[in-house]
C-alpha cells in the first residue's frame, strides 16, 4: 500500500506515497517511478527525486512486455495492417529497421520509454515471426522463411542476420548463446489432418 524511496546508504526515507492500491508493479529510473496495476494499460508516474505525482501514462499491454530496463519496456506487438510503413531503411545513426508493406499483417519489436510514451527504437517483422530474448541483452527473431535477425535490446541495432532453413509451421523459437555460437531451436505447430 505504500511506495517509499530511501537513501541507499543510510536507509533514510526520502519520500513516501500512501495512495497506491496493493499489488502494483514498479518500474523506473533516476527520473521517474511508474506504478502499474496487473493487467493495466495505464500507470501512475511519480518524480523519483521527490515523489511528486507526474500524472498517468498510457502503456503497452503487459502481455506484450518481453523485458523491462529501468523505465523502458521491450515489447512485441501486433501492428495495425492499415498503418503505412517503409521497407528496409537505415537511420542516420546506423540503426537498421525492417518494415512491412501497407495492408499486410506485421509484428513490431520496440523499446518504449514508459514515461514519455515514445519509441526509443522499433523494428517490424512478418506477423508469423517468433522472438526469443537472450540474457536481457539481445532479441532473436526468426521468420518462417528462415531469416534469423539478432537485435541489440538497448540500442536497437541489428547485430547480425543469418539465413537458416525455412520452417513454414513456425510456432516458437528458443535461442541459447554460448561463448562462440548461438544455438537456435525452432518448434513447429503440429499438423492436424481431419
Amino acid at each position: 500500500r505504500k511506495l517509499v524511496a530511501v537513501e541507499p546508504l543510510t536507509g533514510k526515507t526520502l519520500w513516501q506515497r500512501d495512495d497506491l492500491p496493493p499489488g502494483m508493479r514498479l518500474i523506473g529510473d533516476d527520473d521517474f517511478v511508474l506504478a502499474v496495476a496487473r493487467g493495466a494499460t495505464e500507470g501512475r508516474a511519480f518524480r523519483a527525486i521527490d515523489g511528486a505525482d507526474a500524472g498517468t501514462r498510457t502503456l503497452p499491454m503487459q502481455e506484450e512486455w518481453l523485458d523491462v530496463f529501468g523505465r523502458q519496456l521491450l515489447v512485441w506487438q501486433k501492428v495495425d495492417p492499415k498503418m503505412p510503413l517503409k521497407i528496409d531503411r537505415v537511420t542516420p545513426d546506423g540503426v537498421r529497421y525492417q518494415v512491412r508493406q501497407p495492408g499486410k499483417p506485421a509484428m513490431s519489436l520496440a523499446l518504449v520509454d514508459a514515461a514519455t510514451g515514445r519509441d526509443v527504437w522499433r523494428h517490424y517483422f512478418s506477423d508469423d515471426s517468433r522472438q526469443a530474448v537472450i540474457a536481457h541483452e539481445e532479441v532473436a527473431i526468426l521468420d518462417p522463411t528462415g531469416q534469423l535477425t539478432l537485435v541489440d535490446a538497448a540500442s536497437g541495432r541489428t547485430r547480425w542476420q543469418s539465413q537458416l532453413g525455412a520452417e513454414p509451421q513456425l510456432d516458437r523459437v528458443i535461442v541459447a548463446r554460448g561463448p562462440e555460437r548461438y544455438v537456435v531451436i525452432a518448434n513447429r505447430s503440429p499438423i492436424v489432418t481431419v
Side-chain angles (χ1 to χ4, degrees):
R1 290 196 147 282
K2 290 184 181 185
L3 175 58
V4 180
V6 297
E7 164 59 45
L9 295 176
T10 65
K12 177 184 171 194
T13 298
L14 299 174
W15 55 264
Q16 178 174 310
R17 302 285 311 200
D18 297 317
D19 56 348
L20 295 175
M24 301 292 275
R25 180 174 184 177
L26 299 176
I27 61 174
D29 62 7
D30 292 341
D31 298 318
F32 290 97
V33 175
L34 288 97
V36 185
R38 283 195 170 84
T41 56
E42 195 171 78
R44 285 186 61 194
F46 304 99
R47 292 189 339 196
I49 191 83
D50 60 6
D53 196 323
T56 59
R57 302 293 192 268
T58 301
L59 303 169
M61 293 186 302
Q62 291 180 38
E63 55 267 17
E64 297 172 336
W65 299 10
L66 300 178
D67 213 335
V68 178
F69 306 100
R71 72 182 201 201
Q72 297 177 335
L73 306 173
L74 183 64
V75 295
W76 181 248
Q77 299 173 304
K78 201 168 255 320
V79 178
D80 179 355
K82 296 175 186 164
M83 190 171 89
L85 300 169
K86 304 170 191 161
I87 302 295
D88 295 321
R89 303 285 188 222
V90 179
T91 64
D93 61 351
V95 176
R96 291 187 58 191
Y97 60 98
Q98 295 180 329
V99 292
R100 60 168 176 74
Q101 296 289 343
K104 294 191 178 194
M107 297 298 292
S108 73
L109 175 68
L111 190 63
V112 177
D113 185 324
T116 65
R118 294 188 183 123
D119 289 355
V120 176
W121 55 262
R122 184 174 294 269
H123 294 275
Y124 295 90
F125 299 90
S126 68
D127 69 327
D128 44 8
S129 296
R130 300 295 180 258
Q131 51 70 29
V133 177
I134 306 164
H136 303 285
E137 296 172 1
E138 303 167 316
V139 184
I141 301 93
L142 180 64
D143 73 24
T145 69
Q147 179 69 44
L148 179 67
T149 303
L150 190 76
V151 176
D152 180 88
S155 70
R157 292 183 191 275
T158 298
R159 289 193 174 175
W160 51 261
Q161 292 184 313
S162 184
Q163 186 63 48
L164 308 179
E167 184 54 72
Q169 300 296 322
L170 184 62
D171 183 53
R172 184 173 174 214
V173 64
I174 300 166
V175 180
R177 180 178 65 193
E180 296 181 17
R181 65 181 54 123
Y182 290 77
V183 176
V184 179
I185 302 167
N187 291 335
R188 68 174 62 168
S189 300
I191 299 172
V192 178
T193 55
V194 180

